[in-house]
Amino acid sequence: MIKKNRRTVILQGTLFTSFRSFEGEIMIEKGKIISIIDSNNKENLSFFQNAEIIEAQDKYVMPGFIDLHVHGGGGADVMDGEYEAIRKVAATHARFGTTAFLPTTLTMPKDKIIKSLQSIKEAKLKGTGTAAILGIHLEGPYINPEKKGAQNEEGIMPLSKNEFLELNQASGYLIRLVTLAPEMPGAIDFIRWLHRKNIIISAGHTNVTYQKMQEAIQVGLTHVTHLFNAMRGLHHREPGIVGAALSDSRLTVEVIADGIHIHPIILKMIYQMKGSEKIVLVTDAIRAACLEEGNYDLGGKEVIVVRGQAKLGDGTLAGSVLTKNQAVHNMVAQAGISLLEAVQMSTYNPAKCLGTEYRKGSLEPGKDADIVILNQDFEVELTMVSGQVIFRKEDI
């Protein structure tokens, strides 16, 4: 295990900084990137002396992935309400390149949400030892039952500022992103209020019209949860939320690029309309992620995983078993975009959404040494968080 405070050099990799790609070396010390050297212009060779060397020849070296929407993985779920469950989720996704994430709650009874929030708070305070917690994504409980998807209808609550304050207090004020339905009673005022608190508001599990979306955007809504899924569809006389999301440059959209939630042609269309800067790749991963096919639990409902699809008994999609390295690969293979752009969607864009781009999301001197190394089959060879190697494929 590489020591966090020891000087480390990643040699001869193809670097994807989030903005450009080239052959080069990365120097790391005390958890930070201290220098990046183009292989064609090697300087500061003194950095190599007494340094721990990581060979990356013929491999891709990129910023660690940031996941804004993840419920579970490796047999654990955020809603388990246990510190060890949060650690398990973090460790599971770190194996696939995620170095930071927002643990994401489900629409469930308030006491279960509070227990989950408290466990995330504990994990944030103690640390996970792997992927870092950047905050919490509260998905629901303020959603439209008509578009609940796999969420629990019994847990849906009316919008309440006092109740939200109770939830946020339980979390240690870690809630950074809230998914809600903008058409629900009182939502516009609620969005305005959250925006003033510097909380990201996302439209999701919603039947909102195009006009109501415009109202929500005007008062601070900036994000769309898993675009095309669990929401009103696109219609030529009522563009709805999809029309607003695709046409408005103020909105960033989440995309589940597993080839199941969104057809490859639609992935291409989203890219053509939003460009590389307004798409954030997410997993929406559940407990079953990174495990074998079979029957699992999601918020008290049975989920059946077969051929990479996670569904309820009635056929409703129930999250995914996607990992971030797969999402990046799928955007290249299915949507036909460049690897550099796919990396940006999984690193810098989510960091920018959270306002943490000054320290995460790209390979630049002074930023946290959150780094993932992939081979040319897009398998994760190594994951580093703050300069410490927390996963190495060869150690499995």
Side-chain angles (χ1 to χ4, degrees), residues 372-390:
V372 59
I373 300 177
L374 274 63
N375 60 31
Q376 294 188 18
D377 292 324
F378 288 82
E379 297 169 330
V380 174
E381 298 277 343
L382 178 146
T383 306
M384 174 183 287
V385 177
S386 294
Q388 185 170 7
V389 175
I390 50 90

Side-chain angles (χ1 to χ4, degrees), residues 144 238 381:
N144 190 325
E238 171 44 69
E381 298 277 343

Side-chain angles (χ1 to χ4, degrees), residues 136-153:
I136 294 170
H137 178 170
L138 192 75
E139 187 180 15
Y142 315 119
I143 61 175
N144 190 325
E146 296 176 6
K147 297 294 181 180
K148 65 182 184 299
Q151 302 271 350
N152 276 285
E153 185 168 350

